[in-house]
Structure formats: C-alpha cells, structure tokens
Amino acid sequence: MNSLLKLSVAGFIAAVAIAAPSYAALKAGAKAPDFSAPAYLAGEPFTFKLADALKKGPVVVYFFPAAHTPGCNLEAHLFSEAAGEFKKQGATLIGITAGNTSELAAFSKETEHCGGKFPVAADDGAKIAKQYDAILAQKPEWSDRTSYVISQQGTIVHAYSELKPNEHVKETLDAVKALKK
C-alpha cells in the first residue's frame, strides 16, 4: 500500500508539473541573444537575422512547439490576423520553432496559418530556443510557447510563456504599443 501511495503522489506531482504554465527565464531588461536562422515568408526561403530586424524597430519573437499542430495552427492564425497591427506599430514579427521544421515553407503560406503575413524560422536542435530558455519541458527537442518583445536597443521588454495560444498576440501587441508611450 505504501508503494501505491508513493506512486500516486509521484504521478500527481508529474501531472501538475506538465499542466503548469512555464515561465520564460529571460526577464525584462535582459539582453536578447542575437541569432540568425533559416526562415520562410509565404513559402519563400531566406535567412532571418535579429540584428537586421532590430535596425527597423522592435521585434516580436514568438516560439511555438511545432508547425501543423492544433495550438500552433491557432496561434499562427491569430498572429497573421494581427500582423498589420504589429506592422503599424513598427514591429517585426517572427515565429520560431524547433518542431516539424521541414513543414515551415508550407506553414508560412497557408492561409489558415501564417497566410504569408509574417515569417517563421526553423530552429533545428532548439539552439535558439535554448538561448531564450524556451524549451518545451514535455518534449525538450521542441520549443515552448513563449513570446518575447525585444526593443530596438536589443533588450527584452516583455516575456510571456503559456502553452495556451490565445493570449500571446494580446500580450505582445500591448507590450509593443507600450514602447510608443
């Protein structure tokens, strides 16, 4: 019986750990790690370079677990609907994933996902995600759902981690708008 109780408690703790939201370790004021990555915009390949994007204004970097998965499909669609608002605020938007990277060309142009409105970058091996402490605990070879707003000066001004995709656009757009105040 004692073993059964211990097993039950261990199972409960594991379930809570998996269900609990993750928290981005990079906090406001931290220097954003520089990166470049192979990316796609409307199916066309190019190399995304954070340093180049920052020359134009703030950058919203949102990590997502994997292309063509339900939560990531929804999140990409929500970001595509808001892409014009980010642009109006002078912000560059980039999605980054370590999962299903071979599907990013299609994912970037499909209207039900990115719709060609913003690029998505491949992070094979989750190297960029590791620098940003955006690793999915349940599947460490994939990136977590974590969004960052990076000021034009290269510092993180906002970080938001939540596996549910619904609030990432609002969180990051509000943070971008706050930069203008």
Side-chain angles (χ1 to χ4, degrees):
M1 189 70 160
N2 195 16
S3 303
L4 184 59
L5 181 60
K6 286 180 184 177
L7 187 59
S8 295
V9 170
F12 175 76
I13 291 170
V16 169
I18 289 172
S22 58
Y23 297 96
L26 299 183
K27 304 293 183 205
K31 180 82 174 142
D34 191 26
F35 67 88
S36 64
Y40 297 90
L41 178 60
E44 296 299 318
F46 74 102
T47 299
F48 180 89
K49 296 178 181 177
L50 179 62
D52 290 347
L54 287 171
K55 292 175 186 173
K56 302 171 192 169
V59 176
V60 174
V61 175
Y62 89 88
F63 290 91
F64 61 100
H68 294 126
T69 59
C72 299
N73 294 349
L74 173 61
E75 185 178 30
H77 183 75
L78 294 172
F79 270 113
S80 74
E81 287 180 332
E85 187 63 30
F86 283 101
K87 188 174 183 176
K88 190 163 79 171
Q89 297 296 322
T92 298
L93 175 61
I94 178 79
I96 301 176
T97 188
N100 299 343
T101 58
S102 63
E103 300 177 26
L104 286 181
F107 188 74
S108 73
K109 65 183 174 181
E110 294 164 346
T111 56
E112 65 272 22
H113 305 119
C114 304
K117 294 183 180 176
F118 65 92
V120 287
D123 183 19
D124 290 321
K127 294 176 185 98
I128 301 166
K130 286 175 186 156
Q131 291 180 314
Y132 279 80
D133 197 28
I135 297 296
L136 187 61
Q138 302 90 315
K139 196 165 184 164
E141 66 274 15
W142 281 10
S143 34
D144 194 6
R145 191 175 320 283
T146 301
S147 299
Y148 290 99
V149 176
I150 303 169
S151 73
Q152 193 167 8
Q153 292 74 36
T155 57
I156 293 170
V157 296
H158 186 73
Y160 180 71
S161 281
E162 173 60 56
L163 274 176
K164 294 178 186 171
N166 307 57
E167 297 297 317
H168 284 262
V169 170
K170 181 185 179 332
E171 284 282 331
T172 54
L173 189 54
D174 287 350
V176 167
K177 289 178 178 177
L179 287 172
K180 297 233 178 193
K181 293 178 182 180

